[in-house]
Amino acid sequence: MVELVTGHAGKAHATAEQAAGLNAGILGLDDYVLNVHDKLKITVVSANKVTIGTGELVMQGRHVSQGTPEDLIVTNGSQGQKRNDLIVCRYTKGSQSVESAKLVVVRGTPTTGTPTDPAVNTTSPLDGGTTYDMPLYRIPLDGITIGTPVALFNVLKPMSDVWDSLTQTEVLTLINSTYGTVKGYRRGSLVTLRIDWKSSASGSWNTGNFGTLPESWRPPMDLNFSYGGRDGANQKSINVNANGTMTYANQGGTQSTNAFGMTVSYAL
C-alpha cells in the first residue's frame, strides 16, 4: 500500500524503518562515518583499553550518534600469540522490535601464525537482519602489545564537497613576472596551468624560477613535466612543487634563449 510519509495523516505514522530506507536510498547501501566531530577517532589508552571519540555514522540507513567519547576494553593478549580483534558498531532488533546500537569489541582467535579477523554479523536490517555489525577498526595484538589500529570505514563527504568538485574558476593570472606569466584554470580538483615565458636560461643544466603559486593551487606532491623545443634546442624539466614554487631546469647541453610556453595539468 502506498503511504505519504512526509505528510500529515492525523496520527503518528512515520516509522524509523521508513527513515532508514530514505537514508539508504540517498546515501547508499554501504556503511559510512560522517565527516563531523571526531569521526570516531580511536586512541589507544593502555594494553587493554581504547577510546572511541565522538562522531556520527550511518549503517544500512540507520543513523547512530556518539555524543561523548567511550572507553572499550580489549581482552589481554597472550605471550607468543597474535590476534585480530574488531571494534564494531552493532545494530540489534530485540523483543517488541525495539532497536538499539552499541560499540562492541569482537575478539579474534589467538594463533602463532598469521591472525585473521573474527566473523561479524552481515545480514542487513534492510533485508530483515536482527543483528548487524559495522566494522570500525581492526585491533592487532602481538603478545600483550596492542599494535596500531586500522580504520575499516569510509568517511562520507558532505554535499558541499560534491559541489566544490563540480565548480570551476575563470582563467586567473597566478604568477605575473617581468619574464612572463603563469595562468590557471580549475574545475573541482583538476588544475590546468598555462606557462608563457619570454626568455630562457641558456647554459647547460641551468635553472630558472617562475615564481610561487597561491596555496589553493599547489599539488599534493612535487611534480615534473617535460618541455621539448624546436629541433631539440630547448629541452627542459618543468617543476611544480608542493610548496608552490615553480622552476625549470635545462636538460643537457647549451640551450636556446628563446621564449617558451606549455600547458600542464594535475589533480589537487
Side-chain angles (χ1 to χ4, degrees):
M1 181 179 72
V2 171
E3 179 182 4
L4 177 63
V5 177
T6 52
H8 179 64
K11 62 179 180 179
H13 69 100
T15 66
E17 187 73 24
Q18 291 166 333
L22 179 64
N23 287 339
I26 294 175
L27 302 179
L29 295 177
D30 289 328
D31 303 329
Y32 303 99
V33 169
L34 303 185
N35 193 32
V36 293
H37 308 312
D38 292 334
K39 290 178 284 192
L40 302 177
K41 179 181 178 181
I42 189 170
T43 302
V44 176
V45 179
S46 67
N48 68 343
K49 181 190 290 187
V50 297
T51 299
I52 305 297
T54 60
E56 312 283 334
L57 63 83
V58 177
M59 50 190 294
Q60 303 299 294
R62 269 69 179 175
H63 173 208
V64 180
S65 179
Q66 168 114 321
T68 57
E70 181 175 347
D71 292 335
L72 297 174
I73 301 301
V74 177
T75 302
N76 289 331
S78 303
Q79 289 284 3
Q81 293 190 315
K82 298 180 180 181
R83 194 179 84 223
N84 283 350
D85 289 358
L86 293 180
I87 294 177
V88 305
C89 182
R90 175 165 292 172
Y91 160 90
T92 303
K93 177 182 279 189
S95 61
Q96 298 180 334
S97 295
V98 174
E99 298 170 293
S100 62
K102 62 180 179 180
L103 298 181
V104 176
V105 180
V106 182
R107 185 183 178 190
T109 302
T111 178
T112 56
T114 301
T116 58
D117 293 343
V120 296
N121 300 289
T122 59
T123 302
S124 169
L126 295 170
D127 296 325
T130 57
T131 303
Y132 179 83
D133 294 328
M134 173 184 172
L136 297 175
Y137 292 98
R138 176 184 299 115
I139 307 295
L141 292 99
D142 188 347
I144 61 173
T145 302
I146 289 182
T148 302
V150 179
L152 301 175
F153 56 83
N154 292 320
V155 176
L156 184 65
K157 300 298 184 180
M159 290 299 295
S160 59
D161 282 18
V162 177
W163 173 256
D164 289 343
S165 72
L166 299 174
T167 56
Q168 62 189 50
T169 68
E170 298 176 352
V171 176
L172 302 174
T173 299
L174 306 175
I175 296 173
N176 193 359
S177 165
T178 303
Y179 301 101
T181 60
V182 176
K183 296 180 179 180
Y185 169 86
R186 189 172 72 209
R187 180 184 291 273
S189 61
L190 182 64
V191 167
T192 299
L193 301 180
R194 172 63 196 181
I195 302 167
D196 288 292
W197 223 241
K198 298 176 183 178
S199 64
S200 172
S202 62
S204 175
W205 302 103
N206 272 11
T207 62
N209 181 42
F210 295 111
T212 303
L213 292 170
E215 186 170 353
S216 61
W217 293 78
R218 300 172 186 178
M221 60 182 178
D222 294 347
L223 303 177
N224 309 104
F225 303 89
S226 295
Y227 172 81
R230 178 178 172 82
D231 299 327
N234 210 341
Q235 305 294 318
K236 300 183 182 302
S237 170
I238 307 295
N239 309 306
V240 184
N241 300 313
N243 64 5
T245 59
M246 287 186 62
T247 62
Y248 67 86
N250 291 338
Q251 303 296 291
T254 301
Q255 305 288 308
S256 165
T257 60
N258 292 341
F260 66 96
M262 69 177 299
T263 301
V264 300
S265 296
Y266 54 87
L268 295 174

